[in-house]
Amino acid sequence: MTQEAQVGDPVAGDDVVALLMQQHGEIHNLFDEVRTSEGEARREAFQKLVRLLAVHETAEEEIVHPTARTAFDGGDQVVQDRLDEERAAKETLSRLDDMDTDDPKFMPILLSLRDDVLKHARAEERYEFAQLRRTTSPQRLAMMAKAVKAAEKMAPTHPHPGVESATKNIAAGPVAALMDRTRDAIRNAMNGDT
């Protein structure tokens, strides 16, 4: 018999809230890594950040937000506020994705994005995650964590041939494509198709 995650003692692998909060920490660390590195190391760190943000936000949109909308009073407004923040961050991320990480304009935009993303994460933790944890069974939180992990496994970790230039990247919509693959993985996991 496996031990179930208790509301007061969540384990990231067994609880979607703990898992997403762990990812918030990883996102913070990746912002710092991008900020403090240079050249190829900065480009690699930025690509890791883009991937994690894309997977993380898509998982929240597909798993957390729909549950939160109905799980507690005021959930719909809490979710709408988070979606507005996410939309603004995605627009900024798209601008950054089109820039070279050595461009002098890159770092000020990145730092502004970092501030917005960290503020968004604090709002999620305070207004959405805390309520979700209080109103959702440990079993449901565990199922949601499983879906997030399935989505992470499906996301690409390397660039693909034929999409080497910035123009082709924009045309192919790499962030949008990654989000689409993530959504598919989430839906499969939630339906038990893993």
Side-chain angles (χ1 to χ4, degrees):
M1 174 185 259
T2 61
Q3 183 178 3
E4 293 181 2
Q6 299 299 311
V7 174
D9 185 28
V11 177
D14 297 329
D15 177 292
V16 73
V17 171
L19 177 60
L20 294 176
M21 288 176 67
Q22 178 184 0
Q23 287 181 352
H24 284 173
E26 292 170 17
I27 289 165
H28 184 272
N29 291 342
L30 281 170
F31 271 115
D32 285 346
E33 188 177 335
V34 175
R35 182 181 56 80
T36 60
S37 58
E38 297 178 356
E40 187 59 30
R42 178 178 285 167
R43 278 185 281 285
E44 288 176 11
F46 179 66
Q47 287 308 310
K48 288 180 193 175
L49 176 64
V50 168
R51 180 182 181 276
L52 181 54
L53 284 171
V55 171
H56 178 84
E57 293 304 328
T58 304
E60 288 177 342
E61 290 168 9
E62 292 292 317
I63 299 168
V64 177
H65 298 331
T67 300
R69 282 186 187 279
T70 59
F72 54 89
D73 289 339
D76 201 46
Q77 186 60 53
V78 167
V79 168
Q80 190 55 53
D81 292 345
R82 301 302 70 80
L83 289 172
D84 291 344
E85 294 161 1
E86 290 168 10
R87 183 173 40 258
K90 285 178 192 175
E91 290 170 6
T92 303
L93 188 59
S94 181
R95 283 179 50 213
L96 284 169
D97 202 36
D98 191 29
M99 298 175 79
D100 188 290
T101 57
D102 292 328
D103 186 316
K105 296 175 188 171
F106 178 85
M107 194 54 63
I109 296 170
L110 178 86
L111 294 176
S112 175
L113 176 65
R114 179 196 62 188
D115 293 345
D116 291 344
V117 167
L118 296 180
K119 180 180 175 184
H120 166 74
R122 285 189 302 272
E124 280 181 334
E125 291 172 9
R126 180 176 181 187
Y127 300 113
E128 188 173 15
F129 294 178
Q131 290 284 3
L132 196 62
R133 171 120 354 103
R134 281 194 282 275
T135 60
T136 307
S137 73
Q139 296 81 11
R140 174 87 174 141
L141 293 174
M143 183 186 74
M144 294 164 72
K146 180 180 174 185
V148 170
K149 286 191 244 176
E152 289 174 338
K153 289 178 185 175
M154 294 300 294
T157 57
H158 302 288
H160 296 281
V163 190
E164 289 85 13
S165 73
T167 304
K168 287 183 180 179
N169 272 316
I170 295 302
V175 174
L178 177 55
M179 288 179 178
D180 287 345
R181 285 190 291 277
T182 302
R183 280 187 185 97
D184 290 343
I186 290 166
R187 289 179 182 142
N188 287 340
M190 294 294 282
N191 292 327
D193 297 339
T194 56

